[in-house]
Amino acid sequence: MKTIKFLFFLSFAMSWAQQDSRFVKGNRLYNDGKYRAAIESYEAILADSLHSPELYFNLGNAHYKLSEVAPSIYYYEKGLQLSPKNKNIANNLTYAQKMVIDKIEILPEPTIKKFRKSLMNMLSLNSWGVICIVFMVLFVGFFSAYYVSRKSNQKRTFFLLACSFIAITVFCYALVFSKSHALKLESSGVAFSKKIEVMVDPNFRSETSFIIHEGTKFQVIESFNSVWSRIKIANGKTGWIPNDSFKLL
């Protein structure tokens, strides 16, 4: 039986982070096994509102080495937000998630919804917007050609092309609207408290609906009174937890 070894390595990709002395210092401390000191060095960079996938990746690695489940998952997730296709971050996140106590079965999505989501995620919001503009310009061009053309065959061709381009434009606009709406509603968090009782109502006297533990990721649906947030976990269950028990991604 082969032993699967999880090789944690620091990212040295060319970026601003390499030029920051605190990043270099953090890497040196990490390599020396001084993970807490490395974290402090990396966090000093975050304090200056500087962010990069490499920085979050290394922070996640350092916390993982200290067996700190929630921070490691949190920083890997932050890294993936900046670099969604980064395989190193995704692989390390998978290992970190194995330390989470909660094993939540993911609620299956309808096929149509999965297809629409995969289609939206093929391109960024800006890219879909550019495509909308391009096809709108093509529609205007061919409709204008249809309007000024005098030959029936040409008018028919221009009209069909104009109809095709406006249909594609409407389709792309629908994707842009859906993706924009999803991004506004999409707010996720990671549980930081060791154990969190998820309440039926937003008060401590309420009944407990279910329990989650540190490292569990969830969707934040709404907030109440700046103290409570209503969350939804992967299996569809919802409830209220205190805001100081988790961190927003």
Side-chain angles (χ1 to χ4, degrees), residues 18-118:
Q18 281 186 286
Q19 311 305 321
D20 195 304
S21 60
R22 294 167 298 184
F23 187 77
V24 175
K25 178 184 177 183
N27 293 345
R28 186 175 66 253
L29 290 167
Y30 180 94
N31 289 328
D32 291 341
K34 300 176 181 178
Y35 305 119
R36 184 64 61 196
I39 290 170
E40 291 175 0
S41 186
Y42 294 141
E43 287 180 340
I45 303 174
L46 287 180
D48 289 340
S49 299
L50 297 173
H51 310 269
S52 77
E54 296 81 25
L55 178 59
Y56 286 128
F57 179 58
N58 291 358
L59 268 166
N61 289 345
H63 280 290
Y64 185 92
K65 284 292 189 178
L66 294 171
S67 298
E68 295 174 346
V69 184
S72 63
I73 290 176
Y74 175 80
Y75 286 117
Y76 287 143
E77 291 282 2
K78 293 290 286 184
L80 285 177
Q81 285 182 338
L82 297 180
S83 182
K85 296 182 180 180
N86 191 307
K87 292 183 179 180
N88 292 328
I89 299 177
N91 289 338
N92 286 14
L93 174 61
T94 300
Y95 280 96
Q97 287 171 334
K98 292 179 181 179
M99 297 192 297
V100 179
I101 294 175
D102 302 321
K103 307 301 178 186
I104 302 171
E105 187 176 344
I106 298 176
L107 190 68
E109 289 184 323
T111 304
I112 295 177
K113 187 176 181 180
K114 287 174 66 176
F115 174 74
R116 182 169 61 89
K117 185 180 290 186
S118 63

Side-chain angles (χ1 to χ4, degrees), residues 145-200:
Y146 158 77
Y147 187 77
V148 300
S149 178
R150 296 182 180 279
K151 296 181 179 180
S152 59
N153 288 339
Q154 287 183 341
K155 286 180 74 71
R156 187 182 302 111
T157 301
F158 290 144
F159 179 77
L160 290 174
L161 287 171
C163 289
S164 299
F165 289 134
I166 192 61
I168 296 173
T169 301
V170 171
F171 176 74
C172 290
Y173 177 78
L175 286 178
V176 169
F177 179 80
S178 297
K179 190 175 181 70
S180 177
H181 185 66
L183 288 173
K184 288 179 181 178
L185 294 178
E186 194 176 89
S187 181
S188 301
V190 174
F192 265 68
S193 296
K194 293 287 185 181
K195 177 181 176 182
I196 304 174
E197 293 185 7
V198 184
M199 305 296 188
V200 175

